[in-house]
Amino acid sequence: MKKLSKKLVALGLAVAMGVATLAGCGGGGSSSGGASSGDAGSSDAGSASSGEKVTIKFVHKFPEERRMKYFEEIVADFEAKNPNIDIEMTAYGDEEIKDKIRVLLGSADAPDIYFTWSGERIMQYVRAGNAMDISKYFEEDADWTNSFNQAILSTCNKDGSYWAVPWDYSSKEMVYNKKVFEDAGVTELPKTWDEFLDVCEKIKASGVTPIAIGNQYSWVVCHYLTTLNGKLVPKDVTEKNYSMEEVEYTDPGYAEALDMIKLLYEKGYTNSDVNSMTWEISQNAVQEGKAAMVYEEVQNFVNYEDTLGDNWGFFDFPEVEGAKGEAGYITGGPDVFMVNSECEHPDEAITFLKYLTSPEVQSKMVYDLGFLPTTTVELDESKCLPESVEVINKNLSAPGISEWLDCVINQTVSDTWLEGCQTIFENETGESIMKKVSETAKEVADE
């Protein structure tokens, strides 16, 4: 790993920037409050402090070897510091967990703490009665509350109540293979969409696929749309559409975003099997030099460092000149943990969540995984991937965040849009897909 020496205070995202909606448990508990943020590792949590052995069932979505090792280490450390609390941990993959959590919450093996994404993903559990209102824990511990980037924390506040704790956040960049760029004669990274198309043409002419898109699960193209919608559609329009205040998705920027992705496909700038290629294969294609670029999440940078060493880099998604949306916005959103409304030991659950968001554990997350922190932490850059530090610094001055499209909007509307993320490569157009999205939104609004 490349080494840097100075220290960095990482805020995740600038508190002052705010969050723009652009696109990507009331059960019984223990008698006393959870540990404060300053002593999250101590064993003073609720009934655990009275000597009762408490088990907290914890479900997350990081089963990969490197990530599971991280969680196993921090769980072991937490249990050592809190001998009366056992963490029973289970992990499911990115796709499996979407349905698995709903099934588990209706079973005898329901988790106490479970993973989800922000936006509408939080609200689906709130409406189903599966989420605990954890506002009192934030109200009672100002130090913990203030340790968060407030823009990120605000995504967990719905209708005046806190329903989740943000653990990390995602950010997207275009990752590229330097040798492929060099062999194709690309000497400057593209900053605009037209420059991006020129780069794609040069790479195609060199005999390599410019962009790898593994869209077997359509969230991959949905991430492109999250970004492009934010750039092409005025902010006030997306806010009204995404909140269902306005159910007519008639702004031409929505259809244009889809058509721009289709153009990449039709020009041969992507692999031809976009809808059958897996996300993992698209990553491998760039690492193996079979493709030049992939739209990648920052927490996956470490994979390119492992396989390519110095032979990879990243650049911001190109801006669309003359577009009516917002420039410079981050594409992403936080990964969050929620507490089950039927959790019998919520104080202990919160104690563990405070531990997960403590400076020690958040720093370790950056060092070990390359994930982006949601709380204020001082980082030793010599332990960090330099590219991750660069993104953290860049994001500090970003004007806003475009939350994942399939998370921020109504799930039924999202499903129609996600279907369009695949049919756009067949016989559909952006206009025809957005007509279906509007029809679905109207049906949902009339229910």
Side-chain angles (χ1 to χ4, degrees), residues 144-180:
W144 185 46
T145 304
N146 293 333
S147 72
F148 286 93
N149 174 284
Q150 297 303 296
I152 291 295
L153 182 61
S154 69
T155 66
C156 297
N157 189 309
K158 306 294 182 182
D159 300 326
S161 295
Y162 285 101
W163 300 97
V165 175
W167 174 65
D168 77 317
Y169 80 94
S170 298
S171 177
K172 297 278 286 197
E173 300 287 342
M174 294 299 301
V175 168
Y176 70 100
N177 185 307
K178 288 184 177 179
K179 186 176 186 305
V180 173

Side-chain angles (χ1 to χ4, degrees), residues 75-92:
V75 165
D77 182 67
F78 176 82
E79 290 177 336
K81 294 175 180 177
N82 296 268
N84 292 323
I85 305 178
D86 284 339
I87 302 297
E88 186 179 298
M89 180 171 60
T90 310
Y92 300 96

Side-chain angles (χ1 to χ4, degrees), residues 318-340:
E319 296 295 347
V320 183
E321 293 180 305
K324 297 180 180 179
E326 302 292 332
Y329 268 51
I330 298 163
T331 294
D335 292 332
V336 308
F337 288 113
M338 303 182 71
V339 179
N340 188 350

Side-chain angles (χ1 to χ4, degrees), residues 6 27 53 66 90 92 112 133 148 152 157 164 168 193 198 239 271 289 291 299 331 334 339 390 429 434 444:
K6 63 181 181 179
K53 194 74 169 179
R66 184 199 301 266
T90 310
Y92 300 96
D112 297 293
D133 183 345
F148 286 93
I152 291 295
N157 189 309
D168 77 317
W193 184 255
D198 288 342
E239 288 178 338
N271 44 292
Q299 59 260 50
T331 294
V339 179
E390 185 178 344
T429 65
M434 292 315 302
V444 170

